[in-house]
Amino acid sequence: MSYYKEAVERIKSIDPNLYIGISKKRYEEVRSEGEYEADSILIAEYYRRVGVFLQFLSKEATSIYVGMDMLIGYKMDENEWDNFIITFPHFKEIDIMLMKLFSIHYLRWCSLLDNSNLIALQFPDIYDPMIKLFERGGGLISTHHHELVGGFGAFSRTIDARRGDMKPFNISDQDLKFIINEVEHAETCLAEYKRGSRNEFACIRCGNRLLIQSNITEYGYQWYKIKCESDDCFNKNFS
């Protein structure tokens, strides 16, 4: 199967029911904190891959709106958006502009791969993290001021080439599931702690203790830090 045909099948497989009406909901009504943590890993890996690509092109930065095809000189046709909806009618129900934009550029990149574009062939999987994000239901993203925002928090709307210096993130289904599980485990531990339990809780990553610290902001808002006693292990804030 060609790159383009595979891309078409992946985009057609995106379930619109995961996205209908979610723009009117609060983030916590759409996905769990663990799922948003996995989403953030996928976005971070996309930023890293774009950073590597920018270094290859000797460019310092690019906007989240700019496709990789555009960075190497290809322009979008005026009817690109209309043709996309004809091919993928289920996107009429998905009113998330960034999903459509990424999907269009992904298709254009795959066309370059099928045409043996020498630059594209060196970065064949650059869009995979974002398409995987959409496939998994993590497409509740938008831009606000200078940030890409969602239930995961915020990323800069500008992708810096220095992102390419980061260590690659594991975005396998197995690893993403583990990320979700460990956040859900921490949430369970926190719920017990709030009920008055002072039992010791174990990190599912390394088996050592999870330490729960209660904190109060200057405005009286309570939050908790759950940290593994092992260095460079689980460490996350919870409300």
Side-chain angles (χ1 to χ4, degrees):
M1 183 180 295
S2 71
Y3 284 100
Y4 184 83
K5 288 182 178 179
E6 181 179 354
V8 168
E9 291 305 312
R10 291 187 70 179
I11 295 173
K12 282 184 175 179
S13 72
I14 294 173
D15 183 0
N17 294 312
L18 296 172
Y19 300 103
I20 295 173
I22 63 173
S23 61
K24 300 177 182 179
K25 296 181 179 179
R26 297 190 302 272
Y27 288 124
E28 57 269 26
E29 295 180 88
V30 178
R31 288 168 78 70
S32 70
E33 192 160 349
E35 289 171 321
Y36 281 126
E37 184 74 12
D39 293 347
S40 72
I41 296 299
L42 288 165
I43 295 171
E45 175 58 14
Y46 173 70
Y47 273 51
R48 187 199 68 81
R49 293 184 187 191
V50 173
V52 173
F53 186 56
L54 290 171
Q55 291 178 8
F56 174 80
L57 297 178
S58 298
K59 293 182 180 290
E60 293 184 359
T62 188
S63 166
I64 191 73
Y65 295 117
V66 177
M68 301 305 105
D69 50 299
M70 297 171 70
L71 288 177
I72 58 175
Y74 292 87
K75 296 182 179 180
M76 291 182 66
D77 297 331
E78 291 183 3
N79 60 350
E80 200 98 38
W81 287 86
D82 294 335
N83 289 339
F84 179 79
I85 294 298
I86 292 173
T87 306
F88 306 101
H90 64 303
F91 262 73
K92 291 179 181 179
E93 303 174 85
I94 303 176
D95 188 24
I96 301 176
M97 184 272 289
L98 280 172
M99 282 186 65
K100 297 177 184 177
L101 184 63
F102 274 107
S103 297
I104 287 172
H105 285 301
Y106 170 52
L107 290 165
R108 287 161 58 86
W109 194 249
C110 287
S111 291
L112 291 175
L113 289 168
D114 284 339
N115 290 325
S116 300
N117 180 279
L118 294 179
I119 295 179
L121 287 171
Q122 295 183 65
F123 303 91
D125 300 324
I126 196 166
Y127 277 104
D128 188 57
M130 294 304 294
I131 301 304
K132 195 165 193 174
L133 176 78
F134 304 148
E135 291 172 325
R136 293 170 57 87
L140 184 56
I141 54 177
S142 61
T143 51
H144 180 69
H145 295 310
H146 298 290
E147 294 180 320
L148 174 72
V149 298
F152 46 79
F155 286 79
S156 171
R157 202 164 69 181
T158 298
I159 305 176
D160 194 287
R162 288 173 293 184
R163 284 274 184 173
D165 297 330
M166 299 178 70
K167 181 180 177 182
F169 296 88
N170 188 334
I171 61 170
S172 68
D173 290 338
Q174 180 179 357
D175 203 67
L176 293 173
K177 178 61 177 175
F178 181 81
I179 289 169
I180 294 170
N181 288 344
E182 68 176 0
V183 172
E184 290 177 348
H185 173 67
E187 288 177 318
T188 299
C189 295
L190 179 57
E192 290 188 26
Y193 178 87
K194 288 180 176 180
R195 288 195 295 266
S197 172
R198 292 301 178 263
N199 293 329
E200 287 193 357
F201 304 108
C203 174
I204 64 173
R205 188 182 298 186
C206 71
N208 286 334
R209 283 191 307 164
L210 283 178
L211 309 176
I212 301 179
Q213 303 167 349
S214 177
N215 303 274
I216 301 289
T217 69
E218 59 180 310
Y219 302 106
Y221 174 77
Q222 189 167 35
W223 61 279
Y224 301 86
K225 177 183 281 291
I226 302 182
K227 184 180 185 304
C228 179
E229 64 181 357
S230 300
D231 292 335
D232 301 320
C233 198
F234 190 83
N235 186 348
K236 188 170 175 62
N237 296 336
F238 291 83
S239 59

